[in-house]
Amino acid sequence: MFTWLYICLTSYQTTLKTHSKSFWQLDMEFFYVSLLCLFVLLISLSLHLLFYKNKSGFSSSLPPGKTGWPVIGESLEFLSTGWKGHPEKFIFDRIAKYSSYVFRTHLLGEQAAVFCGANGNKFLFSNENKLVQSWWPDSVNKVFPSSTQTSSKEEAIKMRRMLPTFFKPEALQRYVGIMDHIAQRHFSDSWDNKNEVVVFPLAKRYTFWLACRLFLSVEDPNHVAKFADPFNALASGLISIPIDLPGTPFHRAIKASNFIRKELVSIIKQRKIDLAEGKASPTQDILSHMLLTSDESGKFMHELDIADKILGLLIGGHDTASSACTFVVKYLAELPEIYEGVYKEQMEIAKSKAPGELLDWDDIQKMKYSWNVACEVLRLAPPLQGAFRVAIADFMYSGFSIPKGWKVYWSANSTHRNPEVFPEPLKFDPSRFEGAGPAPYTFVPFGGGPRMCPGKEYARLEILVFMHHLVRRFKWEKIFPDEKIIVNPMPMPAKDLPVRLYPHNA
């Protein structure tokens, strides 16, 4: 386009130099050349806009919004509202500004559209693998390298095909007693005979111990502790700036990932021997299940492939349930009437058990009020704040075009803290979950659709077993009553929630 303008003007300058003409003639020629240049410019612009419109999927009707600063976009504001403890502010400020439940922005180096509200959730969850699919930054593939040279996305799809068998309620029933046994040991070792404890690291220790036992049959605390520090390094590095230089959190995460995979391969090799010699059961945990389950073509997974899958599972359950358990402690400390309701329900269950008898599936089903309380905790402090998708085709939503390749983000807080969905959204009210509970697509702590967390039922069990042992043993109070909450990317107390314990038998 600009080349044509340059040619026209250059030609005119040459004409002026080689011919002597009157000022009137020069003015007329300049006028005609200007018209010619303007005509060429208009035609070129029209062709460019027509091509771009077809290419980008009707880009003229993009959602309202702005892209923010060059390169970083609005990422700093998006992250800083979480660091300040109010991640919903980024969402609701823009809903109000643009009067729209879908807006455009620029996050993590990507053009993005943010879908808000129950309708946005329903649209994205219902169109998984049709119009959108899961998306992770390339840095995730560096921390979770696949032995099969496939992407994290492809590995996740394979994993989701395999997990339902293990995470079905009927399969989980036989693990309730194991969870109860681990919880007893955890509270005996880390809570009993203590005046004060720091909750968040203990909650992580509890959920990680459970994961090691149920996924790998690793129960020895010393063996579990060998994994704990590398997993903390890995979890911290996942949310850091992806600079792979010695000393950086990202570098430590990659190093920790390699160490854990090596340890997992050692466990896998021994399990194969134990299965062959009849020393291990085919149904005892996820590891045995993976070793003995083939894909559609009858092929079994390689050891490194299984190590990749187990690593992802352990990370998936490392911080999410521990965040929920931590916030249960926080809210029960702040709300004595809610604590009393949970305590009454759990003591009725405890009194129905013989000495030394473990919890079972029927006991879990009786914990209705406790689960309502846990759900209200998950509403106010969802471990999963939201998630990204990528548009795999041009599509329209709510009158706006979303171009192929754009990232799409859904936010749990766009419904969880919306007064139109949950009246008095900051009020802690477990009765919201009585009866039929919230409307569809409004309560989404585990996502939804094909991408709903496959470990939802598993998380329910470990949270309820934790609550059972906690309230049976103690009352407690927060040492820092006004402790700040930060979200980075999951919610956590700024000081890890230290509490003062008051045993019931004191």
Side-chain angles (χ1 to χ4, degrees):
M1 176 171 64
F2 295 106
T3 303
W4 275 104
L5 288 175
Y6 176 78
I7 292 171
C8 291
L9 291 173
T10 302
S11 299
Y12 180 62
Q13 287 176 337
T14 303
T15 302
L16 288 179
K17 290 178 180 178
T18 54
H19 300 280
S20 175
K21 301 187 179 180
S22 68
F23 285 113
W24 182 84
Q25 288 175 310
L26 290 174
D27 284 344
M28 287 302 295
E29 285 191 16
F30 184 78
F31 174 72
Y32 288 128
V33 170
S34 298
L35 281 179
L36 176 62
C37 292
L38 181 61
F39 176 74
V40 171
L41 176 64
L42 289 173
I43 293 296
S44 301
L45 277 173
S46 300
L47 290 172
H48 173 75
L49 290 174
L50 180 63
F51 172 76
Y52 183 76
K53 181 177 180 181
N54 289 334
K55 181 179 179 181
S56 65
F58 310 104
S59 62
S60 59
S61 59
L62 292 173
K66 62 179 183 178
T67 56
W69 294 93
V71 182
I72 64 172
E74 295 189 295
S75 300
L76 285 180
E77 188 173 356
F78 175 72
L79 295 171
S80 67
T81 55
W83 298 335
K84 295 173 184 176
H86 303 286
E88 73 280 2
K89 187 176 187 303
F90 181 88
I91 303 296
F92 287 122
D93 283 357
R94 284 155 182 75
I95 291 175
K97 181 176 181 179
Y98 303 122
S99 299
S100 173
Y101 270 70
V102 56
F103 59 87
R104 78 175 185 271
T105 182
H106 195 278
L107 300 174
L108 306 180
E110 302 283 348
Q111 291 271 22
V114 179
F115 282 42
C116 307
N119 289 336
N121 293 340
K122 180 179 180 180
F123 181 88
L124 291 179
F125 298 159
S126 302
N127 284 287
E128 186 75 33
N129 299 322
K130 300 173 186 174
L131 298 176
V132 297
Q133 64 185 20
S134 58
W135 176 79
W136 294 276
D138 289 337
S139 58
V140 173
N141 289 323
K142 293 182 180 179
V143 178
F144 294 109
S146 171
S147 60
T148 56
Q149 303 304 310
T150 55
S151 68
S152 295
K153 176 186 70 183
E154 292 171 298
E155 292 301 298
I157 292 171
K158 292 180 185 177
M159 196 64 177
R160 298 182 76 85
R161 290 174 184 155
M162 179 178 293
L163 287 179
T165 301
F166 186 85
F167 284 131
K168 284 181 179 178
E170 53 268 30
L172 288 171
Q173 290 184 27
R174 62 179 181 268
Y175 302 123
V176 175
I178 298 173
M179 287 185 171
D180 190 24
H181 171 67
I182 296 294
Q184 287 182 25
R185 293 184 61 182
H186 168 74
F187 277 93
S188 177
D189 293 347
S190 303
W191 296 69
D192 290 350
N193 303 312
K194 305 284 195 307
N195 295 322
E196 296 178 0
V197 296
V198 182
V199 175
F200 190 40
L202 290 185
K204 287 198 286 188
R205 186 182 302 176
Y206 162 73
T207 57
F208 189 61
W209 193 353
L210 277 181
C212 286
R213 171 60 185 86
L214 292 172
F215 299 167
L216 298 168
S217 295
V218 172
E219 187 171 336
D220 176 27
N222 294 324
H223 200 171
V224 173
K226 185 178 180 181
F227 283 110
D229 287 341
F231 264 95
N232 285 329
L234 203 165
S236 298
L238 275 178
I239 58 174
S240 65
I241 298 171
I243 298 176
D244 187 11
L245 292 175
T248 63
F250 188 66
H251 179 80
R252 288 195 293 268
I254 293 174
K255 192 174 179 181
S257 173
N258 292 334
F259 169 82
I260 296 167
R261 292 169 86 231
K262 184 178 178 181
E263 291 294 315
L264 289 174
V265 168
S266 177
I267 293 172
I268 291 165
K269 287 180 181 294
Q270 184 59 49
R271 176 62 60 83
K272 290 173 79 172
I273 295 171
D274 292 344
L275 284 168
E277 296 178 352
K279 296 178 181 178
S281 164
T283 60
Q284 73 182 50
D285 56 26
I286 283 184
L287 176 54
S288 286
H289 180 70
M290 288 183 176
L291 282 168
L292 299 172
T293 302
S294 62
D295 61 17
E296 296 88 344
S297 61
K299 294 181 180 179
F300 291 88
M301 284 190 289
H302 297 293
E303 292 171 357
L304 275 175
D305 196 16
I306 293 174
D308 292 338
K309 304 291 189 299
I310 293 290
L311 177 58
L313 275 178
L314 289 170
I315 271 292
H318 186 242
D319 280 342
T320 50
S322 56
S323 173
C325 289
T326 300
F327 278 86
V328 164
V329 177
K330 166 186 151 56
Y331 283 111
L332 292 187
E334 296 170 351
L335 302 164
E337 70 281 6
I338 303 296
Y339 172 91
E340 288 301 326
V342 174
Y343 177 74
K344 179 182 177 183
E345 181 176 80
Q346 295 298 341
M347 288 308 297
E348 287 177 359
I349 293 170
K351 290 173 182 176
S352 71
K353 310 297 289 184
E357 185 182 358
L358 295 172
L359 291 172
D360 58 30
W361 184 255
D362 289 338
D363 297 322
I364 296 295
Q365 305 317 305
K366 295 174 185 175
M367 300 180 185
K368 290 182 170 54
Y369 181 75
S370 297
W371 183 238
N372 288 347
V373 169
C375 286
E376 184 69 341
V377 169
L378 291 168
R379 182 185 71 83
L380 287 168
L384 181 67
Q385 297 289 304
F388 282 97
R389 303 285 190 268
V390 61
I392 56 177
D394 297 334
F395 64 86
M396 300 292 294
Y397 174 75
S398 193
F400 299 111
S401 62
I402 308 298
K404 179 181 179 181
W406 270 39
K407 306 308 177 286
V408 183
Y409 182 79
W410 65 268
S411 165
N413 284 313
S414 75
T415 53
H416 286 197
R417 292 185 176 236
N418 189 331
E420 296 177 5
V421 178
F422 293 101
E424 297 183 86
L426 299 183
K427 179 182 178 182
F428 194 96
D429 183 6
S431 68
R432 304 179 197 272
F433 297 90
E434 294 176 355
Y441 302 102
T442 59
F443 179 61
V444 288
F446 300 101
R451 293 289 306 161
M452 179 178 284
C453 174
K456 174 184 175 182
E457 278 298 308
Y458 171 83
R460 183 174 81 98
L461 295 186
E462 61 183 336
I463 292 169
L464 288 174
V465 171
F466 177 87
M467 293 173 72
H468 176 79
H469 285 277
L470 178 70
V471 300
R472 280 188 62 189
R473 284 172 160 80
F474 309 107
K475 279 192 172 182
W476 58 92
E477 64 181 6
K478 294 164 63 178
I479 291 177
F480 301 105
D482 299 320
E483 184 175 0
K484 181 183 175 183
I485 302 302
I486 57 177
V487 179
N488 187 30
M490 286 178 295
M492 62 188 74
K495 300 180 184 294
D496 289 341
L497 193 62
V499 299
R500 189 169 291 110
L501 300 174
Y502 300 100
H504 287 306
N505 56 2

